[in-house]
Amino acid sequence: MIIVAAWIAGVALALGAVMALIRLARGPSILDRTLALDVLLIIILCGLCVDMVVNRHLNHIVFIVVGSLVAFIGSVTIARYVTDRRGQ
Amino acid sequence: MIVLGLTEGGTLDQVLDWIVVISMVSGALLSVAAGIGLLRFPDLFSRMHAATKPQVLGLFLMLLSVALQIRAWSAVPILVLAWFFQLLTAPVTAHMVGRAGYRTRHLKQETLVLDDLNEVVSEAQRRLDEGR
């Protein structure tokens, strides 16, 4: 049962990651790209959670904590320095 | 492990197994929802709305399934810590990205019902221009 659920969850996460990657490639603005990168990071963290559930260990929990703690730094930095260069 | 008088492989374990499976799959489905939202929604703010679903509820469901699968109280504090950090940092990101998105006009005015920020921002811009 847990294996079937892990396959469903893995396929779902992969679909979400592919769609976030498409948005990352298409843009149109850098803010959309940072948003897609945030979603991609969360999907990676969810994948680590799936691995911990299937194999019954807690080895990746450090990555989850650090990932959820430092994820905002990149997007805040980009959002701080983004400027409008259209229409000037 | 004996929990509430039930031995291992008993009814409670089966119930917990099902909760693990359901929360894991629904957490993953929230990621798909975020991906669909990122692809289909028209502008930055509606995409931000879609992106927060796996950030808060999706990660919570995943951490819940980890906690119920490990079934040890010693694992709970660090999982709560991970979710707490996510709750702490996700609004900061959303605030900064939304602020930058509004000020660089990455939004579709016709999708807005109400725009309270417009007069504040234009007033600030007017003061900035006078100061120059």
Side-chain angles (χ1 to χ4, degrees):
Chain A
M1 184 173 73
I2 195 83
I3 300 297
V4 176
W7 270 100
I8 296 172
V11 169
L13 288 175
L15 273 176
V18 166
M19 287 188 273
L21 277 174
I22 293 173
R23 178 52 68 196
L24 183 64
R26 289 209 337 219
S29 72
I30 193 167
L31 293 169
D32 292 299
R33 293 196 168 100
T34 55
L35 206 61
L37 267 183
D38 269 356
V39 172
L40 201 60
L41 182 74
I42 290 297
I43 289 174
I44 291 170
L45 295 186
C46 288
L48 292 177
C49 282
V50 170
D51 182 53
M52 287 196 290
V53 168
V54 172
N55 295 323
R56 283 178 180 265
H57 61 79
L58 277 175
N59 294 348
H60 304 324
I61 193 63
V62 180
F63 300 116
I64 310 270
V65 173
V66 173
S68 65
L69 188 56
V70 301
F72 79 112
I73 295 175
S75 10
V76 167
T77 311
I78 292 173
R80 180 69 186 82
Y81 289 106
V82 71
T83 49
D84 190 13
R85 277 181 287 186
R86 300 173 300 179
Q88 279 176 12
Chain B
M1 185 180 68
I2 297 176
V3 184
L4 298 175
L6 292 166
T7 52
E8 184 152 8
T11 321
L12 186 67
D13 268 345
Q14 284 176 357
V15 171
L16 287 181
D17 277 344
W18 276 107
I19 297 176
V20 167
V21 165
I22 291 168
S23 58
M24 187 167 76
V25 169
S26 44
L29 287 179
L30 279 175
S31 295
V32 181
I36 294 172
L38 277 178
L39 271 190
R40 300 278 303 165
F41 281 170
D43 66 343
L44 178 69
F45 292 122
S46 46
R47 280 176 206 146
M48 280 172 66
H49 152 75
T52 46
K53 264 71 223 170
Q55 277 180 347
V56 178
L57 185 60
L59 195 66
F60 172 73
L61 288 171
M62 284 292 177
L63 294 174
L64 179 75
S65 70
V66 171
L68 290 179
Q69 180 77 339
I70 300 297
R71 276 169 223 178
W73 284 110
S74 59
V76 172
I78 194 151
L79 295 170
V80 171
L81 192 72
W83 196 56
F84 177 72
F85 281 148
Q86 189 62 38
L87 277 186
L88 210 62
T89 57
V92 180
T93 310
H95 172 79
M96 288 302 287
V97 171
R99 182 179 183 277
Y102 187 88
R103 288 180 189 231
T104 54
R105 301 194 299 273
H106 283 300
L107 74 163
K108 292 192 168 154
Q109 287 286 348
E110 65 267 19
T111 59
L112 296 183
V113 177
L114 189 65
D115 189 2
D116 280 335
L117 204 56
N118 188 19
E119 49 187 286
V120 181
V121 171
S122 51
E123 173 73 17
Q125 186 66 44
R126 194 181 58 78
R127 273 200 212 134
L128 194 71
D129 290 340
E130 277 178 4
R132 267 182 196 153

